[in-house]
Amino acid sequence: GENVEQHPSTLSVQEGDSAVIKCTYSDSASNYFPWYKQELGKGPQLIIDIRSNVGEKKDQRIAVTLNKTAKHFSLHITETQPEDSAVYFCAAMGSSGDKLTFGTGTRLAVRP
Amino acid sequence: GAVVSQHPSWVICKSGTSVKIECRSLDFQATTMFWYRQFPKQSLMLMATSNEGSKATYEQGVEKDKFLINHASLTLSTLTVTSAHPEDSSFYICSATGVDNQPQHFGDGTRLSIL
């Protein structure tokens, strides 16, 4: 089955700096890669996703890049703000076509 | 955007009782719903996948008689934790997708505490 690794597990940045979170996946047939933000005591919220026919996608301060050859994808947050502090999960949808496999999460802290 | 509502958000009950958690898609038809369990500071662990009108598919190691899942309509799925014990205490989260399985939208979770 699919295996997703996520790094780093914790990340602390100064407000205004950029944050980058990286994930690798094992199933070369995976074709859909969402990123979720989870705040304390809440469910994950989809912040951006990318499909395998696209190399990069951007939405305001958030961007995701995908390298299919290397089987890794990354989340980039620019001009970080304290409200960006949360746990971020990457995920990959494998050849099963329905189930998501999640990374282990990155706890992002943005220092004011 | 797509909204998934989960109820209750928090429940405390005595050991041996059964607890039902509801998951509703409010503005779209959810052909597939998923149930996850999350332990503190850990990732989401998929428990089961349910399609409307059919039996749920459980992940390896998840007891189907312990965690009963019903997906009777395109907007509602329920998870019943039967004869709950303290080790069942956890954060349970549902998600739902439409016909193309993308993206999954999550509810806000249910914190279950068994005394």
Side-chain angles (χ1 to χ4, degrees):
Chain A
E2 175 70 277
N3 182 49
V4 177
E5 295 188 357
Q6 183 172 346
H7 297 281
S9 57
T10 60
L11 179 60
S12 179
V13 300
Q14 192 70 39
E15 181 178 1
D17 288 348
S18 296
V20 180
I21 303 170
K22 298 181 179 181
C23 289
T24 60
Y25 60 98
S26 61
D27 185 353
S28 56
S30 291
N31 57 12
Y32 175 65
F33 308 91
W35 285 88
Y36 288 89
K37 174 184 181 182
Q38 186 177 28
E39 297 178 336
L40 191 63
K42 295 193 172 183
Q45 177 188 12
L46 179 71
I47 57 171
I48 196 167
D49 57 9
I50 191 168
R51 289 171 173 75
S52 59
N53 59 347
V54 176
E56 184 174 357
K57 184 177 178 180
K58 190 173 182 180
D59 182 3
Q60 299 182 339
R61 296 187 297 110
I62 296 172
V64 57
T65 59
L66 171 65
N67 184 326
K68 287 174 57 181
T69 303
K71 290 189 285 188
H72 66 69
F73 56 113
S74 300
L75 177 71
H76 304 253
I77 305 174
T78 58
E79 301 174 29
T80 53
Q81 301 166 3
E83 51 265 39
D84 293 330
S85 298
V87 179
Y88 291 81
F89 290 98
C90 64
M93 181 173 285
S95 50
S96 66
D98 59 356
K99 295 191 290 187
L100 287 175
T101 300
F102 283 84
T104 49
T106 297
R107 187 170 300 274
L108 173 65
V110 180
R111 306 186 303 274
Chain B
V3 178
V4 175
S5 174
Q6 193 171 337
H7 179 80
S9 57
W10 191 21
V11 58
I12 302 174
C13 60
K14 293 181 179 180
S15 183
T17 58
S18 293
V19 179
K20 180 184 282 189
I21 302 169
E22 291 187 350
C23 180
R24 295 180 184 273
S25 58
L26 298 186
D27 55 359
F28 68 102
Q29 292 187 326
T31 52
T32 306
M33 287 187 167
F34 304 85
W35 288 94
Y36 294 84
R37 185 172 181 176
Q38 186 177 35
F39 291 104
K41 298 186 177 182
Q42 292 191 22
S43 189
L44 287 81
M45 182 188 78
L46 180 65
M47 299 174 66
T49 303
S50 73
N51 293 294
E52 184 262 340
S54 60
K55 290 185 178 180
T57 302
Y58 290 80
E59 294 299 301
Q60 192 172 9
V62 178
E63 299 175 61
K64 60 182 65 178
D65 294 331
K66 174 73 159 175
F67 300 100
L68 301 179
I69 292 172
N70 182 278
H71 191 167
S73 78
L74 283 172
T75 59
L76 174 64
S77 176
T78 60
L79 168 68
T80 301
V81 184
T82 62
S83 187
H85 293 285
E87 58 266 29
D88 298 321
S89 298
S90 191
F91 193 51
Y92 292 88
I93 314 173
C94 72
S95 70
T97 62
V99 293
D100 58 0
N101 284 331
Q102 301 167 7
Q104 280 190 32
H105 297 282
F106 284 81
D108 265 345
T110 297
R111 185 158 304 282
L112 175 63
S113 296
I114 309 298
L115 304 178

